[in-house]
Amino acid sequence: MTVIEVEDLRKNYGNTRAVDGVSFTVARGETFGVLGHNGAGKTTTVECLVGLRKPDSGTIRVLGENPARRRRALAQRTGVQLQQGELPDRLRVAEAMRLFAAFYDRPDDWRAVLERWGLGPIANKAFGDLSGGQQQRLKLATALVGGPELVVLDELTTGLDPVARRETWTLIGDLKAAGTTAVLVSHFMDEAEELCDRVAVFGNGRIIALGSPRELIGRTGTGSLEEAYFALSGEGR
Amino acid sequence: MKAFAHLSATELRLLARDPGSLFFMVAFPSMLLMLNGGSDRLEIHLPGYLAMILAIGGITALPATLATYRERKVLRRLATTPVSPFVLLTAQIVAQLSMALAGAAIVTGVGVIGFGVDPPAHPAWLAPAFVLSALMCYAIGFVIAAVVPRARTAELIGLLVMFPMIFLAGAAIPREGVPETMHRIGDYLPLTHAVTALRESWSDVPTLPPLLILSGIVVLGTAVAAALFRWE
């Protein structure tokens, strides 16, 4: 069963071709990585997936819906963590969780989500007083509290320390085990290699390579996804 | 509905945590009343303070909050949830109005109980006058949030619009004492009509024109804000 279907997606900003003919599908339960350097078209693609932007052309189906037309219906079933997207400084952790839970028809128990993400000890702290890593974890937890079928996570572990990163990977593994479909936008190749079933490598608004990390490593005759990425994108050397 | 109730309660809580809003909307009006406690015309001052509370919240705090939400991508984050951004705007209004009601109740209580001010003579007129005055201030606040891109600037512009207005419109001090030119400027300020409507319904003969003018400003301001507001 296909959760995401993107065909020949195009989006221009003025004369810039941000996304220039992108096609891919994501199956139910799959963890799909969107990789690429800044300006490669990752964020625009993801914004089109969640209905924040309207494509110039091409078709998108997410959970059977057109995101540009049915954004709110889709939002009931999708958890999104944006690269940018803060919370009010004076909003406390527990309040944020309770508030976001109230947005959804069938949310998870917000206290349980809060505990699972290690936010229990800081439940009464205000967002503005949290460390970068704590803010990131709270933002992730608010994306998951609605009990989504699909999660779209942009820059999942940016700003987290190595321990918190590993913990986050474990939690994403749990999501995966529970059958949740995930789209991860990432700069970190080790993360994509560890977590993703398949990855799409973006460059100049197109997908330049698509496959499982193992396939891409094999195709390039390299030793890791990071090396495969550099070989495929022709960068870094 | 559940989302709206939670969002309104949360926005009210955040507003009450803002020391500036808390002080100027809840404590400051009563302080002014006490400073003027010797006056035998407190029923002129008191309705003005209600207008002042609404102006401080609606013209200064409201646009600052909205511009901050836009700048820090809170609006964007919300756009990825099932909640419509309009629900957030409505929740802002509910929170502002609740806070203003609390401030109004306190300053009225201090005035009536502590200083023997006559209670409102026409409560059935005072209620719509209060609500329309509030909506008028929020419409101005939304226009500021729509035309001023950055949060810090929105706060500053809000202050620059609100401060002269509460004095020239007769909200913070009655207009009777101000010089002729100043008085004439006041005639053209939206808040003056709020003060007039509130005063008339408190201790005079209520008339329809100020309420109609307030309604007109609400419609006009909302239309301008809706046309110009950018979510990002």
Side-chain angles (χ1 to χ4, degrees):
Chain A
M1 158 113 196
T2 311
V3 171
I4 298 175
E5 256 184 284
V6 176
E7 208 175 307
D8 201 26
L9 175 68
R10 288 169 200 273
K11 178 78 189 174
N12 297 344
Y13 302 125
N15 289 328
T16 314
R17 290 182 178 180
V19 179
D20 189 19
V22 159
S23 306
F24 63 91
T25 59
V26 180
R28 185 169 290 278
E30 195 173 21
T31 301
F32 187 81
V34 174
L35 312 179
H37 57 83
N38 291 334
K42 307 186 304 279
T43 295
T44 301
T45 302
V46 165
E47 286 173 342
C48 290
L49 285 181
V50 299
L52 282 177
R53 287 192 197 282
K54 203 169 178 284
D56 292 340
S57 69
T59 54
I60 305 183
R61 291 262 149 215
V62 177
L63 296 163
E65 311 273 13
N66 177 350
R69 293 229 182 104
R70 303 258 300 153
R71 184 186 66 77
R72 288 175 62 192
L74 201 56
Q76 271 298 343
R77 304 162 66 192
T78 315
V80 181
Q81 192 228 335
L82 297 168
Q83 198 180 336
Q84 297 171 308
E86 307 267 311
L87 296 169
D89 272 346
R90 291 198 175 88
L91 186 65
R92 294 177 188 156
V93 171
E95 289 169 352
M97 293 302 292
R98 195 173 51 199
L99 178 66
F100 274 80
F103 292 167
Y104 297 90
D105 291 340
R106 285 178 300 278
D108 288 351
D109 176 5
W110 62 266
R111 288 181 188 83
V113 179
L114 188 134
E115 290 301 331
R116 200 181 316 140
W117 286 84
L119 298 165
I122 52 165
N124 286 318
K125 268 192 151 187
F127 182 78
D129 294 336
L130 302 180
S131 71
Q134 290 170 330
Q135 289 189 345
Q136 182 81 351
R137 258 188 293 153
L138 175 58
K139 282 156 68 178
L140 270 166
T142 58
L144 297 170
V145 74
E149 296 166 54
L150 166 70
V151 291
V152 177
L153 308 172
D154 198 351
E155 305 290 338
L156 176 68
T157 59
T158 302
L160 297 186
D161 64 46
V163 177
R165 269 187 88 202
R166 289 284 167 172
E167 283 170 7
T168 305
W169 291 7
T170 310
L171 291 161
I172 298 296
D174 294 348
L175 276 183
K176 198 168 164 173
T180 311
T181 311
V183 174
L184 306 183
V185 182
S186 187
H187 281 305
F188 300 117
M189 297 304 147
D190 56 341
E191 185 167 298
E193 189 172 343
E194 169 86 17
L195 297 174
C196 296
D197 300 309
R198 285 188 307 138
V199 298
V201 179
F202 278 63
N204 293 323
R206 294 166 177 273
I207 293 180
I208 50 181
L210 180 69
S212 71
R214 179 179 296 217
E215 277 166 16
L216 298 189
I217 292 165
R219 202 186 297 171
T220 50
T222 50
S224 70
L225 185 60
E226 179 144 359
E227 290 170 23
Y229 171 78
F230 286 130
L232 288 162
S233 65
E235 284 180 53
R237 291 296 140 97
Chain B
M1 207 55 218
K2 184 181 58 160
F4 174 60
H6 268 84
L7 208 46
S8 302
T10 303
E11 288 301 331
L12 178 59
R13 215 176 284 138
L14 294 176
L15 191 60
R17 272 180 207 153
D18 172 34
S21 297
L22 195 63
F23 177 74
F24 283 106
M25 293 178 74
V26 177
F28 183 62
S30 298
M31 286 170 55
L32 271 188
L33 185 82
M34 289 178 206
L35 285 172
N36 287 298
S39 164
D40 53 358
R41 293 163 64 241
L42 279 181
E43 67 282 352
I44 301 277
H45 289 259
L46 220 159
Y49 296 159
L50 303 190
M52 181 180 75
I53 291 170
L54 294 169
I56 291 170
I59 301 176
T60 308
L62 184 67
T65 305
L66 287 176
T68 305
Y69 281 9
R70 179 174 50 206
E71 187 168 297
R72 305 204 33 214
K73 313 282 181 192
V74 177
L75 296 180
R76 194 177 146 80
R77 173 68 185 90
L78 217 63
T80 63
T81 72
V83 175
S84 151
F86 289 102
V87 175
L88 178 77
L89 298 189
T90 319
Q92 283 291 332
I93 290 177
V94 171
Q96 276 292 340
L97 200 53
S98 310
M99 187 84 163
L101 275 172
I106 289 172
V107 73
T108 302
V110 170
V112 172
I113 298 165
F115 292 88
V117 179
D118 288 338
H122 312 283
W125 282 83
L126 184 65
F130 187 79
V131 171
L132 279 175
S133 301
L135 294 179
M136 187 273 293
C137 291
Y138 305 154
I140 296 176
F142 282 130
V143 170
I144 294 174
V147 297
V148 182
R150 299 200 65 85
R152 291 201 83 91
T153 339
E155 192 167 3
L156 182 68
I157 301 285
L159 283 169
L160 287 175
V161 173
M162 182 274 289
F163 252 117
M165 192 129 80
I166 59 171
F167 288 104
L168 294 174
I173 45 161
R175 243 163 31 109
E176 280 74 0
V178 304
E180 179 60 24
T181 332
M182 299 285 201
H183 199 278
R184 210 166 298 148
I185 298 173
D187 290 344
Y188 295 97
L189 295 174
L191 196 65
T192 307
H193 303 287
V195 175
T196 306
L198 291 162
R199 267 201 206 176
E200 284 180 352
S201 52
W202 195 288
S203 60
D204 204 341
V205 183
T207 59
L208 215 45
L211 296 184
L212 293 176
I213 295 171
L214 289 175
S215 307
I217 302 170
V218 171
V219 172
L220 189 70
T222 309
V224 171
L228 299 178
F229 192 79
R230 295 282 167 268
W231 293 101
E232 302 208 9

